[in-house]
Amino acid sequence: MKEIQKGQNPILVILAAGMASRYGSAKQVESFGPFGEKIIDYSIYDAIRAGFGKVVFVIREEFLQVMKDNVGDKLPDSVEVEYVFQDFDLSKFGVDRIVERQKPWGTGHAVMSAEHAVDRPFCVINADDFYGYDAFQKMADFLRERATDQEMALVGFEIGNTLSDFGYVSRGVCDVNDADHLQGVTERTNIYRKGENIVYAQHENETMLPDNTRVSMNFWGFTPKIFEVARALFPDFVEQNYENPKAEFFIPDLPDYMVKQGLAKFVVLPTDAKWFGVTYKEDKDQVQKSIQQLIDARHYPRRLWPVKKLVDESIYLDF
C-alpha cells in the first residue's frame, strides 16, 4: 500500500449499478432540474466544485452506453471519468465458487469493483441521493488533508433533515463518541415524524430520536486500504451466504469491522445539509421544489453543464 500524499484531489465513486436498468420507469430518469438534470447531476456538480478530481461510475456492463448517454457524456471535458463494472465474476476477488444470483452482492461488493480505478483517498455515494454541497466540501477537505489508513470518515446527516413527509424511512443511526468518532451504526426501520417528534417503531413500541441524531446516508470517505479489508472479508461472506440469493455485503460492514478490530477510526463529519430523496412517488414534487429554491437562491445555475453540441444556441439561453 503506497503512502498517501496530502493535498491530492480525491476521487468520487458513485454506486450506480442498479440505476441504468431502471431508466425510463423509475426515479433516476426523472428530471428534477429545469434542463432535465437528475439528482446524480447535482451530486457530480457539487463534488467538482468541492475539489474532487475524478468521477468513477460503478455500473453493470450492459448499461455502459446508457450511462454515457444520460450522464457521463454530458459532463465537461475537464472532468476525468471512468466506468467500472459490478458483475457476478467472483474469481477476481479470490472466490472460486460459482453462485447463481439475480443481483450482485451489494454495496460493499460494488466498492470492491472500483479498486483498479482508485489510487488515492475517495468518497463513495449513492447515485440517487441529493446530499448538498456542504457534505461534499467537508468530505473533500477531510480526504485531502486528514485521511490516513488509520483515520477515515463518514458524513453524518441530522435525522430531521432526511425524512419523508409521505411515510416511514430506514436509516443507519450512528453511535458517536465525544471525539466525533464512529462507534457503530445501527439500522433502524420504520422511522417517521409523529407530531413534533421523530420516532422509530420496533415490536409495537415507539422510541424517540432527537432531531439532531446523526445518521448514515451512505456518504463514506476511504483510503485504498478499504479494498484490502474488503478482499479479506468477502470470501468468507460468500462461503457463508452462497445459498442465500438475497444476502448482501454492505459497506457499513467494513468500517464496523475496522473499528471493532482497532484497525482504523472513522470521523463523523457533521452537516446540517438537507438530504433529498424520492422514497415515495409523492416525494418528487417536493424535491423539484427544493432544487428550484436552491437555484433561485443562486446555489446552482439553471443549467448545470455546458452544452457540447448545439443546433440552435438561442434555445439554450439561461434566463
Side-chain angles (χ1 to χ4, degrees):
M1 190 70 64
K2 71 177 184 179
E3 183 179 351
I4 296 172
Q5 300 296 319
K6 299 298 183 184
Q8 296 182 100
N9 288 337
I11 295 172
L12 178 67
V13 175
I14 302 179
L15 306 185
M19 182 176 177
S21 63
R22 298 191 294 270
Y23 264 108
S25 62
K27 58 191 177 185
Q28 288 85 352
V29 76
E30 294 182 359
S31 299
F32 293 90
F35 289 90
E37 291 89 353
K38 303 166 184 62
I39 288 178
I40 191 174
D41 289 307
Y42 288 96
S43 291
I44 297 170
Y45 183 87
D46 282 339
I48 292 170
R49 61 179 176 151
F52 283 82
K54 179 179 179 179
V55 178
V56 176
F57 295 98
V58 182
I59 62 173
R60 290 168 59 182
E61 184 172 7
E62 58 265 39
F63 297 114
L64 174 60
Q65 195 58 52
V66 175
M67 283 298 296
K68 285 185 173 182
D69 291 343
N70 284 274
V71 183
D73 286 352
K74 296 179 181 180
L75 303 183
D77 294 336
S78 59
V79 179
E80 183 180 358
V81 174
E82 189 166 348
Y83 300 88
V84 299
F85 305 132
Q86 184 181 15
D87 55 34
F88 298 95
D89 179 10
L90 300 180
S91 64
K92 54 190 174 185
F93 304 116
V95 178
D96 295 329
R97 186 182 292 278
I98 297 175
V99 182
E100 297 294 331
R101 289 172 62 98
Q102 292 185 335
K103 295 173 57 179
W105 290 83
T107 54
H109 176 228
V111 171
M112 295 171 66
S113 302
E115 179 172 5
H116 297 296
V118 173
D119 61 357
R120 56 189 183 270
F122 67 103
C123 171
V124 177
I125 65 167
N126 293 333
D128 51 1
D129 289 332
F130 183 101
Y131 295 103
Y133 173 71
D134 183 66
F136 286 96
Q137 187 63 71
K138 287 180 175 175
M139 181 59 80
D141 291 343
F142 177 89
L143 294 174
R144 272 194 299 260
E145 305 301 334
R146 294 181 56 186
T148 69
D149 288 347
Q150 293 75 44
E151 187 172 59
M152 304 185 204
L154 163 70
V155 173
F157 285 77
E158 295 181 3
I159 193 170
N161 287 335
T162 73
L163 302 183
S164 169
D165 293 331
F166 301 101
Y168 66 84
V169 299
S170 297
R171 296 288 181 258
V173 177
C174 299
D175 178 13
V176 186
N177 67 15
D178 292 338
D180 292 328
H181 287 145
L182 183 70
Q183 303 298 290
V185 180
T186 303
E187 188 71 16
R188 297 296 187 192
T189 58
N190 297 324
I191 301 174
Y192 50 91
R193 288 195 182 276
K194 186 175 183 180
E196 297 297 317
N197 300 316
I198 298 173
V199 301
Y200 71 89
Q202 187 176 33
H203 306 306
E204 299 183 357
N205 296 318
E206 292 181 333
T207 303
M208 288 181 53
L209 291 169
D211 272 31
N212 62 354
T213 298
R214 296 291 168 182
V215 295
S216 167
M217 301 303 296
N218 228 22
F219 199 119
W220 295 92
F222 297 124
T223 70
K225 175 74 174 180
I226 201 73
F227 299 122
E228 178 183 321
V229 174
R231 281 189 271 105
L233 298 179
F234 187 60
D236 286 342
F237 181 87
V238 173
E239 195 59 32
Q240 295 168 15
N241 294 279
Y242 68 90
E243 293 182 326
N244 179 0
K246 295 184 178 180
E248 295 191 55
F249 188 59
F250 291 117
I251 290 175
D253 295 338
L254 303 174
D256 184 68
Y257 174 84
M258 296 178 76
V259 168
K260 289 178 178 177
Q261 295 298 314
L263 299 176
K265 296 178 180 178
F266 280 79
V267 178
V268 179
L269 305 173
T271 182
D272 58 3
K274 173 72 174 176
W275 170 92
F276 303 140
V278 185
T279 305
Y280 300 93
K281 63 181 181 180
E282 293 88 352
D283 290 320
K284 181 183 176 181
D285 286 345
Q286 184 57 49
V287 172
Q288 288 178 315
K289 290 177 183 177
S290 297
I291 290 177
Q292 186 59 53
Q293 289 171 356
L294 291 170
I295 294 171
D296 293 342
R298 298 189 179 277
H299 292 293
Y300 298 100
R302 291 190 68 240
R303 176 182 288 280
L304 286 186
W305 310 122
V307 178
K308 295 182 179 180
K309 295 180 180 180
L310 300 183
V311 176
D312 178 3
E313 293 190 8
S314 65
I315 68 173
Y316 295 109
L317 291 176
D318 189 4
F319 293 105

